[in-house]
């Protein structure tokens, strides 16, 4: 861990955090700003949680949209990726004869949301496997064509898959969906602050995700982006006082009484993120991720995708001949934090994600522990 990490973050001394992608990490700067905002709200909650709040949230939404090249009139803040997904799944019409396609690399709660919606309406749900390692769009397009020979209503996929950490070919899949008469929905939980997003250019109908993973803001805060034809249609999953509002931002600004501070800290988080970006700190993060790829591959770990489909700061590996429990038992006592779990086909996956507090020594410690449990 970089020596300066303790100045910017509240990580425990000696902890090696290589699991940034799971929960993100709030910076000390944002925590200080959050305390100030919270004290301001508590000084007069009747005023500060009333009409004034909507306009403050509108300003934060506009900043997020501008920062990540999204159309402000199609973008709103929400609680997290799960709430954004629920709003879309609950709002989009499903009818007899429809087909919903979900890739098996999707986050489990998103897949479950579609399962429940399809079961309720009697709609056909097709789970399509993504073969690991991932070699490119053609293998996935062939699998889709083989399993879904007819029309498609909606296809759900990730911009970057969570546990397998694959940068999926959105534009290629969007074309396949379009030719089948369907609409593409993107889980962009690992997009903002990590990789560029261009939903209009890709041909996406709806996109949801989180902002607290790759921005140093408080948890939770998410976002929702909609194609123009959906901005009047998609409603929050919870029916609150603003559920009927014609204005998209106001509609999602009051999910019942809630803590708005994570959303109100976004300007501070984006300012700090910009400093890291302008200081080229993310390039070093990518270098550390590349070092990890070389080191773990050298031990026998298999990357889940070929180089062109590896996200900049997330890498996942198939560890053959070892169990999830064995890997966790090797890492946790050494205070090494990664994500370890089963892949879509039951493989043991190890996922690392690097951030501005990591350095090469973190990878050296990780690989030393991994080496102890991998078969020789």
């Amino acid at each position: 861990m970089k020596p300066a990490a303790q100045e910017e973050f509240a990580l425990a001394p000696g902890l090696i955090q290589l699991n940034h992608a799971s929960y993100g990490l709030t910076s000390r700067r944002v925590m200080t700003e959050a305390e100030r905002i919270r004290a301001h709200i508590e000084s007069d909650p009747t005023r500060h949680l009333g009409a004034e709040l909507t306009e403050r949230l509108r300003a934060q939404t506009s900043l997020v949209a501008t920062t990540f090249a999204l159309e402000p009139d199609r973008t709103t803040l929400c609680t997290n990726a799960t709430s954004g997904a629920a709003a879309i799944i609950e709002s989009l019409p499903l009818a007899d004869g429809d087909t919903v396609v979900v890739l098996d690399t999707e986050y489990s709660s998103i897949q479950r949301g579609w399962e429940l919606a399809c079961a309720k309406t009697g709609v056909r749900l097709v789970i399509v496997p993504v073969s690991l390692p991932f070699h490119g769009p053609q293998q996935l397009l062939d699998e889709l064509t083989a399993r879904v020979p007819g029309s498609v209503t909606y296809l759900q996929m990730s911009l970057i898959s969570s546990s397998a950490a694959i940068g999926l070919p959105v534009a290629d899949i969007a074309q396949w969906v379009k030719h089948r008469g369907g609409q593409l929905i993107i889980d962009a939980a690992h997009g903002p602050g990590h990789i560029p997003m261009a939903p209009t250019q890709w041909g996406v109908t709806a996109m949801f995700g989180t902002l607290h993973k790759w921005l140093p803001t408080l948890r939770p805060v998410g976002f929702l982006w909609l194609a123009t034809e959906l901005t009047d249609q998609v409603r929050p999953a919870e029916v609150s006082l603003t559920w009927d509002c014609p204005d998209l931002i106001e509609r999602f600004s009051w999910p019942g009484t809630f803590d708005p501070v994570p959303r109100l800290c976004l300007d501070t988080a984006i300012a700090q993120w910009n400093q890291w970006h302008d200081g080229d700190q993310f390039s070093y993060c990518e270098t550390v991720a590349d070092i990890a790829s070389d080191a773990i591959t050298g031990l026998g770990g298999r990357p889940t995708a070929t180089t062109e489909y590896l996200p900049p700061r997330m890498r996942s590996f198939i560890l053959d001949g070892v169990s999830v429990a064995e890997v966790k038992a090797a890492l946790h006592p050494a205070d090494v934090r990664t994500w370890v779990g089963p892949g879509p086909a039951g493989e043991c996956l190890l996922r690392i994600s690097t951030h501005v507090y990591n350095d090469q020594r973190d990878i050296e410690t990780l690989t030393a522990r991994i080496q102890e449990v991998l078969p020789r």
Side-chain angles (χ1 to χ4, degrees):
M1 198 71 65
K2 290 180 180 177
Q6 289 299 316
E7 299 175 12
E8 290 191 296
F9 300 96
L11 283 168
L15 184 75
I16 296 176
Q17 169 69 320
L18 288 165
N19 191 28
H20 190 89
S22 282
Y23 308 107
L25 191 64
T26 308
S27 68
R28 292 186 186 274
R29 184 189 302 184
V30 171
M31 286 191 285
T32 299
E33 176 63 5
E35 291 177 6
R36 187 195 68 78
I37 294 172
R38 187 162 284 116
H40 176 71
I41 290 173
E42 296 306 322
S43 71
D44 189 352
T46 303
R47 175 185 174 188
H48 301 314
L49 293 178
E52 173 188 294
L53 177 61
T54 300
E55 294 314 306
R56 294 183 70 186
L57 293 174
R58 192 181 304 281
Q60 296 288 353
T61 304
S62 179
L63 176 61
V64 168
T66 301
T67 301
F68 300 117
L70 302 174
E71 296 85 350
D73 60 335
R74 304 188 201 176
T75 306
T76 189
L77 301 179
C78 58
T79 304
N80 49 37
T82 304
S83 66
I88 292 169
I89 295 170
E90 289 292 321
S91 299
L92 294 181
L94 290 171
D96 185 45
D98 286 349
T99 297
V100 173
V101 179
V102 179
L103 302 188
D104 73 348
T105 47
E106 287 307 284
Y107 196 69
S108 56
S109 65
I110 307 304
Q111 180 174 320
R112 185 62 177 145
W114 281 110
E115 288 173 350
L116 292 173
C118 291
K120 188 187 303 182
T121 55
V123 165
R124 180 186 181 214
L125 174 67
V126 183
I127 306 297
V128 174
V130 178
S131 298
L132 301 181
F134 183 78
H135 295 289
Q138 195 56 54
Q139 69 178 110
L140 181 51
L141 292 171
D142 290 344
E143 192 71 44
L144 284 166
T145 301
R147 292 178 179 264
V148 193
S151 62
V152 171
T153 311
Y154 305 112
L155 188 147
Q156 171 74 63
M157 66 177 290
S158 290
L159 182 57
I160 296 175
S161 64
S162 181
S163 55
I166 303 169
L168 289 163
V170 174
D172 294 287
I173 305 305
Q175 282 298 311
W176 184 90
V177 175
K178 181 180 179 180
H179 290 154
R180 298 303 182 97
Q183 297 178 311
L184 182 62
I185 301 166
I186 294 293
D187 178 348
H190 296 290
H194 187 195
I195 64 172
M197 300 185 296
T200 301
Q201 180 180 330
W202 295 328
V204 172
T205 296
M207 183 170 70
F208 60 87
T210 52
L211 296 166
H212 61 253
K213 287 185 182 290
W214 297 99
L215 294 178
T217 196
L218 294 179
R219 308 172 198 90
V221 57
F223 78 98
L224 185 61
W225 177 93
L226 302 168
T228 302
E229 62 269 23
L230 291 185
T231 55
D232 293 331
Q233 182 177 344
V234 174
R235 306 276 158 175
E238 64 279 291
V239 180
S240 66
L241 293 174
T242 58
W243 190 87
D244 289 313
C245 286
D247 179 79
L248 179 63
I249 292 173
E250 187 172 358
R251 194 184 310 156
F252 281 84
S253 289
W254 190 255
T257 301
F258 79 116
D259 181 8
V261 174
R263 304 186 194 189
L264 297 176
C265 286
L266 283 169
D267 53 353
T268 302
I270 287 172
Q272 188 167 26
W273 179 87
N274 279 326
Q275 286 184 344
W276 294 334
H277 181 273
D278 295 344
D280 209 28
Q281 293 198 48
F282 294 134
S283 294
Y284 180 72
C285 299
E286 294 173 27
T287 298
V288 174
D290 289 339
I291 291 170
S293 288
D294 291 341
I296 296 175
T297 301
L299 296 177
R302 293 188 291 137
T304 53
T306 52
T307 302
E308 59 267 43
Y309 299 103
L310 296 177
R313 290 175 265 149
M314 286 174 67
R315 306 296 165 85
S316 192
F317 308 88
I318 303 166
L319 301 183
D320 297 310
V322 66
S323 70
V324 169
E326 289 171 326
V327 177
K328 287 183 176 181
L331 297 180
H332 280 266
D335 283 339
V336 178
R337 303 291 183 255
T338 67
W339 183 89
V340 184
E347 314 95 325
C348 176
L349 294 184
L350 167 74
R351 187 197 69 198
I352 64 124
S353 43
T354 58
H355 204 51
V356 297
Y357 44 75
N358 292 119
D359 60 19
Q360 185 172 345
R361 291 170 298 178
D362 298 339
I363 305 305
E364 292 168 354
T365 302
L366 167 68
T367 52
R369 302 302 295 185
I370 293 296
Q371 189 170 20
E372 293 179 6
V373 295
L374 287 178
R376 290 181 172 82

